[in-house]
Amino acid sequence: MKEKELRRSMAVFTIGTVMKLTDLTARQIRYYEEQGLIEPQRTETNRRMYSLDNVDRLLEIKDYLAEGLNMTAIRRIYDEKQHKSKRPQEVKEHHLTDDDVRRILYKELLNTSSFNPNDTTSWNKNL
DNA sequence: ATTCTAACA
DNA sequence: TGTTAGGA
């Protein structure tokens, strides 16, 4: 099952095709790279080359953005994952990753200023 | 024709 | 984020 991983990580798309595939503007795609969300390869002429994994992540980012999250919030989500994959000890929480993301999302929504947690009653109590 | 960086009437 | 200038 390693051939598959190789292909998904193989950079074969130009920013132009990624734009069509993700419906994002070149500006956004480059900006998300600046934020450390993706790391496309570069050709000898400095052109960006994206892999399927890169495209998938961009689509995820687009979803998070649609849910009202800001860059710092999204950045944290991927940073958390990176931390966990580097800690073989915490096997326990490896299974809660998906739910963890959910919690992070809500927590960040509070800082997105589009909500008033002040007078809302109980949905955010145990976050 | 495409993409890149930098910058903002 | 959009857009544009000036290069590659």
Side-chain angles (χ1 to χ4, degrees):
Chain A
M1 231 329 187
K2 267 194 170 180
E3 289 275 326
K4 191 176 179 181
E5 295 176 24
L6 178 66
R7 301 194 185 218
R8 291 191 67 74
S9 60
M10 171 165 52
V12 294
F13 305 115
T14 64
I15 197 170
T17 82
V18 174
M19 286 174 72
K20 295 171 183 172
L21 258 34
T22 64
D23 234 347
L24 292 169
T25 65
R27 177 77 162 88
Q28 291 177 301
I29 297 172
R30 298 192 186 109
Y31 177 64
Y32 302 154
E33 175 184 350
E34 266 183 31
Q35 299 306 298
L37 275 38
I38 56 176
E39 204 164 358
Q41 290 185 194
R42 292 295 185 120
T43 65
E44 296 172 294
T45 61
N46 200 40
R47 256 70 193 161
R48 270 168 267 246
M49 291 301 277
Y50 304 79
S51 67
L52 277 176
D53 284 327
N54 291 156
V55 175
D56 283 339
R57 172 157 293 194
L58 285 172
L59 291 173
E60 278 182 44
I61 295 170
K62 198 178 67 168
D63 289 337
Y64 288 139
L65 254 31
E67 292 184 54
L69 297 184
N70 52 45
M71 281 310 102
T72 64
I74 297 174
R75 230 157 45 204
R76 289 191 54 186
I77 293 175
Y78 294 117
D79 288 342
E80 293 283 308
K81 283 188 178 180
Q82 191 169 45
H83 288 170
K84 290 188 176 178
S85 63
K86 278 194 173 183
R87 293 177 183 174
Q89 299 184 339
E90 305 174 38
V91 182
K92 219 177 176 184
E93 309 200 37
H94 184 285
H95 212 288
L96 299 176
T97 298
D98 195 49
D99 192 56
D100 281 340
V101 172
R102 258 191 154 299
R103 296 202 173 195
I104 295 174
L105 296 189
Y106 283 122
K107 226 168 187 177
E108 293 303 336
L109 278 177
L110 296 180
N111 304 318
T112 304
S113 75
S114 46
F115 285 95
N116 289 309
N118 303 308
D119 63 330
T120 49
T121 51
S122 61
W123 68 275
N124 66 339
K125 273 189 174 178
N126 35 25
L127 285 181

